[in-house]
Amino acid sequence: MKKVMCFGELLLRISPVVEEDITENPVQLYVGGAEANVATALAGWQVPVKYGTVLPDNFMARHVIEYLEQQGIDASAVQSGGDRIGVYYLDSGSDLKGNVVYDRERSSFSE
């Protein structure tokens, strides 16, 4: 069976919790990045999908890979390298044209 291959930088998204939902933690963390989001959507629609990116060899990257696999994404093309996962901060309720700050400098994918 054929598979769709998604390739690109995986990012961690940090967003503030909507005021009504604040309990103990004022922010939420999500696995994101355009290609990872597409891979997740395809897997949710039962389309065989493989994802390729570069992540550091650390505990956080292992959790991210486990998350991808739990979503039904073949993560066997994920390579190890570099020191950090890129991050972006997105205000709750915003679209990507609004309040977004990227912190991708020296991420594993960029190096």
Side-chain angles (χ1 to χ4, degrees):
M1 178 180 258
K2 293 184 179 184
K3 248 183 211 180
V4 174
M5 176 69 178
C6 295
F7 172 78
E9 184 171 14
L10 184 139
L11 298 167
L12 297 177
R13 182 181 100 203
I14 300 173
S15 293
V17 174
V18 179
E19 286 185 34
E20 301 87 49
D21 296 337
I22 291 179
T23 53
E24 293 180 22
N25 193 349
V27 297
Q28 292 180 312
L29 179 70
Y30 302 90
V31 174
E35 297 81 9
N37 292 343
V38 169
T40 302
L42 289 170
W45 295 322
Q46 307 304 309
V47 174
V49 61
K50 187 174 195 174
Y51 182 63
T53 194
V54 182
L55 295 173
D57 183 15
N58 63 32
F59 75 94
M60 191 64 176
R62 287 188 287 279
H63 283 288
V64 168
I65 291 168
E66 183 178 319
Y67 169 80
L68 293 172
E69 291 170 343
Q70 287 176 352
Q71 300 306 305
I73 299 166
D74 177 353
S76 64
V78 174
Q79 300 292 306
S80 291
D83 296 319
R84 61 184 297 265
I85 301 172
V87 176
Y88 71 104
Y89 306 92
L90 180 66
D91 199 6
S92 295
S94 293
D95 61 21
L96 290 179
K97 298 175 209 151
N99 298 324
V100 62
V101 176
Y102 288 95
D103 179 6
R104 299 162 71 179
E105 188 173 344
R106 298 181 7 187
S107 70
S108 292
F109 189 84
S110 70
E111 297 202 351

Coordinates of all heavy atoms in Angstrom, one line a residue, residues 58-110:
N58 N 16.8 13.3 22.8 CA 16.6 13.6 24.2 C 15.2 13.1 24.6 O 14.4 12.6 23.7 CB 16.8 15.1 24.6 CG 15.8 16.0 23.9 OD1 14.7 15.6 23.6 ND2 16.3 17.2 23.6
F59 N 14.9 13.2 25.9 CA 13.6 12.6 26.3 C 12.4 13.3 25.7 O 11.4 12.6 25.4 CB 13.5 12.8 27.9 CG 13.2 14.2 28.4 CD1 11.9 14.6 28.6 CD2 14.3 15.1 28.5 CE1 11.7 15.9 29.0 CE2 14.0 16.4 29.0 CZ 12.7 16.8 29.2
M60 N 12.5 14.6 25.4 CA 11.3 15.3 24.9 C 11.0 14.8 23.4 O 9.9 14.6 23.1 CB 11.6 16.8 24.9 CG 10.3 17.6 24.6 SD 9.1 17.3 25.9 CE 7.8 18.4 25.3
A61 N 12.1 14.7 22.7 CA 11.9 14.2 21.3 C 11.4 12.7 21.3 O 10.5 12.4 20.5 CB 13.3 14.2 20.6
R62 N 11.8 11.9 22.3 CA 11.2 10.6 22.4 C 9.7 10.6 22.7 O 9.0 9.8 22.1 CB 12.0 9.7 23.4 CG 13.4 9.4 22.9 CD 14.1 8.4 23.8 NE 14.6 9.0 25.0 CZ 15.7 9.7 25.1 NH1 16.5 9.9 24.1 NH2 16.1 10.2 26.3
H63 N 9.3 11.5 23.5 CA 7.9 11.7 23.8 C 7.1 12.1 22.6 O 6.0 11.7 22.3 CB 7.7 12.7 25.0 CG 7.9 12.1 26.3 ND1 7.1 11.2 26.9 CD2 9.0 12.3 27.2 CE1 7.6 10.8 28.1 NE2 8.7 11.5 28.3
V64 N 7.7 13.0 21.8 CA 7.1 13.5 20.6 C 6.9 12.4 19.6 O 5.9 12.2 19.0 CB 7.9 14.7 20.0 CG1 7.4 15.0 18.6 CG2 7.7 15.9 20.9
I65 N 8.0 11.6 19.4 CA 7.9 10.5 18.5 C 6.9 9.5 18.9 O 6.1 9.0 18.1 CB 9.3 9.8 18.3 CG1 10.3 10.8 17.6 CG2 9.2 8.5 17.6 CD1 11.7 10.3 17.7
E66 N 6.8 9.2 20.2 CA 5.8 8.3 20.7 C 4.4 8.9 20.4 O 3.5 8.1 20.1 CB 6.0 8.1 22.2 CG 5.0 7.1 22.8 CD 5.3 6.9 24.3 OE1 6.4 6.9 24.7 OE2 4.3 6.9 25.1
Y67 N 4.2 10.2 20.6 CA 2.9 10.8 20.3 C 2.6 10.6 18.8 O 1.4 10.3 18.5 CB 3.0 12.3 20.7 CG 1.8 13.1 20.1 CD1 0.6 13.0 20.8 CD2 1.9 13.8 18.9 CE1 -0.5 13.7 20.3 CE2 0.8 14.5 18.4 CZ -0.4 14.4 19.1 OH -1.5 15.1 18.6
L68 N 3.5 10.9 17.9 CA 3.3 10.7 16.5 C 2.8 9.3 16.2 O 1.8 9.0 15.5 CB 4.5 11.0 15.7 CG 5.0 12.5 15.7 CD1 6.3 12.6 15.0 CD2 3.9 13.4 15.1
E69 N 3.5 8.3 16.8 CA 3.2 6.9 16.5 C 1.8 6.6 17.1 O 1.1 5.8 16.5 CB 4.3 6.0 17.1 CG 5.6 6.1 16.3 CD 6.8 5.4 17.0 OE1 6.7 5.1 18.2 OE2 7.8 5.2 16.2
Q70 N 1.4 7.1 18.2 CA 0.1 6.9 18.8 C -1.0 7.5 17.9 O -2.1 7.0 17.9 CB 0.0 7.5 20.2 CG 0.8 6.7 21.2 CD 0.7 7.4 22.6 OE1 0.3 8.5 22.8 NE2 1.3 6.7 23.6
Q71 N -0.6 8.5 17.1 CA -1.6 9.1 16.2 C -1.7 8.2 14.9 O -2.6 8.5 14.0 CB -1.2 10.5 15.8 CG -1.1 11.4 17.0 CD -2.4 11.5 17.8 OE1 -3.4 11.7 17.3 NE2 -2.3 11.2 19.1
G72 N -0.9 7.2 14.8 CA -0.9 6.4 13.6 C 0.0 6.8 12.5 O -0.1 6.4 11.3
I73 N 1.0 7.6 12.9 CA 2.0 8.1 11.9 C 3.3 7.3 12.0 O 3.8 7.1 13.1 CB 2.3 9.6 12.2 CG1 1.1 10.5 12.1 CG2 3.5 10.1 11.4 CD1 1.2 11.9 12.7
D74 N 3.8 6.9 10.9 CA 5.0 6.1 10.8 C 6.2 7.2 11.0 O 6.4 8.0 10.2 CB 5.2 5.5 9.4 CG 6.5 4.7 9.3 OD1 7.4 4.8 10.1 OD2 6.6 4.0 8.2
A75 N 6.9 7.1 12.1 CA 7.9 8.0 12.5 C 9.3 7.5 12.2 O 10.3 8.0 12.7 CB 7.8 8.5 13.9
S76 N 9.4 6.4 11.4 CA 10.7 5.8 11.2 C 11.7 6.7 10.4 O 12.9 6.4 10.4 CB 10.5 4.4 10.5 OG 9.9 4.6 9.2
A77 N 11.2 7.7 9.7 CA 12.1 8.6 9.0 C 12.6 9.8 9.8 O 13.3 10.6 9.3 CB 11.3 9.1 7.7
V78 N 12.2 9.8 11.1 CA 12.7 10.9 12.0 C 14.2 10.6 12.3 O 14.5 9.6 12.7 CB 11.9 11.0 13.3 CG1 12.5 12.0 14.2 CG2 10.4 11.3 13.0
Q79 N 15.0 11.6 12.0 CA 16.4 11.5 12.2 C 16.8 12.3 13.5 O 16.2 13.2 13.9 CB 17.2 12.2 11.1 CG 16.9 11.5 9.7 CD 17.4 10.1 9.6 OE1 18.6 9.9 9.9 NE2 16.5 9.2 9.3
S80 N 17.9 11.8 14.1 CA 18.4 12.5 15.3 C 19.6 13.4 14.9 O 20.4 13.1 14.1 CB 19.0 11.4 16.3 OG 18.0 10.7 16.9
G81 N 19.6 14.6 15.6 CA 20.6 15.6 15.4 C 20.3 16.9 16.0 O 19.1 17.1 16.4
G82 N 21.2 17.7 16.2 CA 21.0 19.0 16.8 C 20.7 18.9 18.3 O 20.8 17.8 18.9
D83 N 20.3 20.0 18.9 CA 20.1 20.1 20.3 C 18.7 20.5 20.8 O 18.4 20.4 22.0 CB 21.1 21.1 20.9 CG 22.5 20.7 20.7 OD1 22.8 19.5 20.9 OD2 23.4 21.6 20.4
R84 N 17.9 21.0 19.9 CA 16.6 21.5 20.4 C 15.5 21.4 19.4 O 15.7 21.4 18.2 CB 16.7 22.9 20.9 CG 17.1 24.0 19.9 CD 17.3 25.3 20.5 NE 16.1 25.9 21.1 CZ 15.3 26.7 20.4 NH1 15.5 27.1 19.2 NH2 14.2 27.2 21.0
I85 N 14.3 21.3 19.9 CA 13.1 21.3 19.1 C 12.6 22.8 19.0 O 12.6 23.5 19.9 CB 11.9 20.5 19.7 CG1 12.4 19.0 19.9 CG2 10.7 20.6 18.9 CD1 11.4 18.2 20.7
G86 N 12.3 23.2 17.7 CA 11.8 24.6 17.5 C 10.4 24.8 18.3 O 9.7 23.8 18.5
V87 N 10.2 26.0 18.6 CA 9.0 26.4 19.4 C 8.3 27.6 18.8 O 9.0 28.4 18.2 CB 9.4 26.7 20.9 CG1 8.2 27.2 21.7 CG2 10.1 25.6 21.6
Y88 N 7.0 27.6 18.8 CA 6.3 28.8 18.5 C 5.2 29.1 19.6 O 4.7 28.2 20.2 CB 5.8 28.9 17.1 CG 4.6 28.0 16.8 CD1 3.3 28.5 16.6 CD2 4.8 26.6 16.5 CE1 2.2 27.7 16.3 CE2 3.7 25.8 16.2 CZ 2.4 26.4 16.1 OH 1.3 25.6 15.7
Y89 N 5.0 30.4 19.8 CA 4.1 30.8 20.8 C 2.9 31.4 20.0 O 3.1 32.3 19.2 CB 4.7 31.9 21.7 CG 6.0 31.4 22.3 CD1 7.2 31.7 21.7 CD2 6.0 30.7 23.5 CE1 8.4 31.2 22.3 CE2 7.2 30.3 24.1 CZ 8.4 30.5 23.4 OH 9.5 30.1 24.0
L90 N 1.7 31.0 20.3 CA 0.5 31.4 19.6 C -0.5 31.8 20.7 O -0.9 31.0 21.5 CB 0.0 30.4 18.7 CG -1.3 30.7 17.9 CD1 -1.0 31.8 16.9 CD2 -1.8 29.5 17.1
D91 N -1.0 33.0 20.6 CA -2.1 33.5 21.5 C -3.3 32.7 21.3 O -3.7 32.3 20.1 CB -2.3 35.0 21.2 CG -3.0 35.6 22.4 OD1 -3.2 35.0 23.4 OD2 -3.4 36.8 22.2
S92 N -4.0 32.3 22.3 CA -5.3 31.5 22.2 C -6.3 32.3 21.4 O -6.5 33.5 21.6 CB -5.8 31.2 23.6 OG -5.0 30.4 24.3
G93 N -7.0 31.6 20.5 CA -8.0 32.2 19.7 C -7.5 32.9 18.5 O -8.2 33.5 17.7
S94 N -6.2 33.0 18.3 CA -5.6 33.7 17.2 C -5.4 32.8 16.0 O -5.3 31.6 16.1 CB -4.2 34.3 17.6 OG -4.3 35.2 18.6
D95 N -5.3 33.4 14.8 CA -4.9 32.7 13.7 C -3.4 33.0 13.5 O -2.8 33.8 14.2 CB -5.7 33.0 12.4 CG -5.7 34.5 12.0 OD1 -4.7 35.2 12.4 OD2 -6.5 34.9 11.3
L96 N -2.8 32.3 12.5 CA -1.4 32.5 12.3 C -1.0 33.9 11.8 O 0.2 34.2 11.7 CB -0.8 31.4 11.4 CG -0.8 30.0 12.0 CD1 -0.3 29.0 11.1 CD2 0.0 30.0 13.3
K97 N -1.9 34.7 11.4 CA -1.6 36.0 10.9 C -1.5 37.0 12.1 O -1.0 38.1 12.0 CB -2.7 36.6 10.0 CG -2.9 35.8 8.8 CD -4.1 36.3 8.0 CE -4.7 35.2 7.2 NZ -6.1 35.3 7.0
G98 N -1.9 36.6 13.3 CA -2.0 37.5 14.4 C -0.8 37.3 15.3 O 0.4 37.5 14.9
N99 N -1.0 37.0 16.6 CA 0.0 37.0 17.6 C 0.7 35.7 17.6 O 0.4 34.8 18.3 CB -0.6 37.3 18.9 CG -1.3 38.6 19.0 OD1 -0.8 39.6 18.4 ND2 -2.4 38.7 19.7
V100 N 1.8 35.6 16.8 CA 2.6 34.4 16.8 C 4.1 34.8 16.9 O 4.5 35.8 16.2 CB 2.4 33.5 15.6 CG1 2.7 34.2 14.3 CG2 3.1 32.2 15.7
V101 N 4.9 34.1 17.7 CA 6.3 34.3 17.8 C 7.0 33.0 17.6 O 6.7 32.0 18.3 CB 6.7 34.9 19.2 CG1 8.2 35.1 19.4 CG2 5.9 36.2 19.5
Y102 N 7.9 33.0 16.7 CA 8.7 31.7 16.4 C 10.0 31.8 17.1 O 10.7 32.8 17.1 CB 8.9 31.6 14.9 CG 7.7 31.2 14.1 CD1 6.9 32.2 13.5 CD2 7.3 29.9 14.1 CE1 5.7 31.8 12.9 CE2 6.1 29.5 13.4 CZ 5.3 30.5 12.8 OH 4.2 30.2 12.1
D103 N 10.4 30.7 17.7 CA 11.7 30.5 18.3 C 12.3 29.2 17.6 O 12.2 28.1 18.2 CB 11.6 30.4 19.8 CG 13.0 30.2 20.5 OD1 14.0 30.2 19.8 OD2 13.0 29.9 21.7
R104 N 12.9 29.4 16.4 CA 13.4 28.2 15.7 C 14.9 28.3 15.5 O 15.5 27.4 14.9 CB 12.7 28.2 14.3 CG 11.2 28.0 14.5 CD 10.5 28.4 13.2 NE 10.7 27.4 12.2 CZ 10.1 27.5 11.0 NH1 9.4 28.5 10.7 NH2 10.4 26.6 10.1
E105 N 15.5 29.4 16.0 CA 17.0 29.5 15.8 C 17.7 28.4 16.4 O 17.5 28.0 17.6 CB 17.5 30.8 16.4 CG 18.9 31.1 16.1 CD 19.3 32.5 16.6 OE1 18.4 33.3 16.9 OE2 20.5 32.8 16.7
R106 N 18.6 27.8 15.7 CA 19.5 26.6 16.1 C 18.7 25.4 16.4 O 19.1 24.6 17.2 CB 20.4 27.1 17.2 CG 21.4 28.1 16.8 CD 22.3 28.6 17.8 NE 22.2 27.7 19.0 CZ 22.8 27.8 20.2 NH1 23.6 28.8 20.3 NH2 22.6 27.0 21.1
S107 N 17.5 25.3 15.9 CA 16.7 24.1 16.1 C 17.4 22.9 15.4 O 18.1 23.1 14.4 CB 15.3 24.2 15.7 OG 15.2 24.3 14.2
S108 N 17.1 21.7 15.8 CA 17.7 20.5 15.1 C 17.4 20.5 13.6 O 18.3 20.2 12.8 CB 17.1 19.3 15.7 OG 17.5 19.1 17.1
F109 N 16.2 20.9 13.2 CA 15.8 20.9 11.8 C 16.6 21.9 11.0 O 17.0 21.7 9.9 CB 14.3 21.1 11.6 CG 13.8 20.9 10.2 CD1 13.5 19.6 9.8 CD2 13.7 22.0 9.4 CE1 13.1 19.4 8.5 CE2 13.2 21.8 8.1 CZ 12.9 20.5 7.6
S110 N 16.8 23.1 11.6 CA 17.5 24.2 10.9 C 19.0 23.9 10.8 O 19.7 24.5 9.9 CB 17.2 25.5 11.6 OG 17.9 25.6 12.8

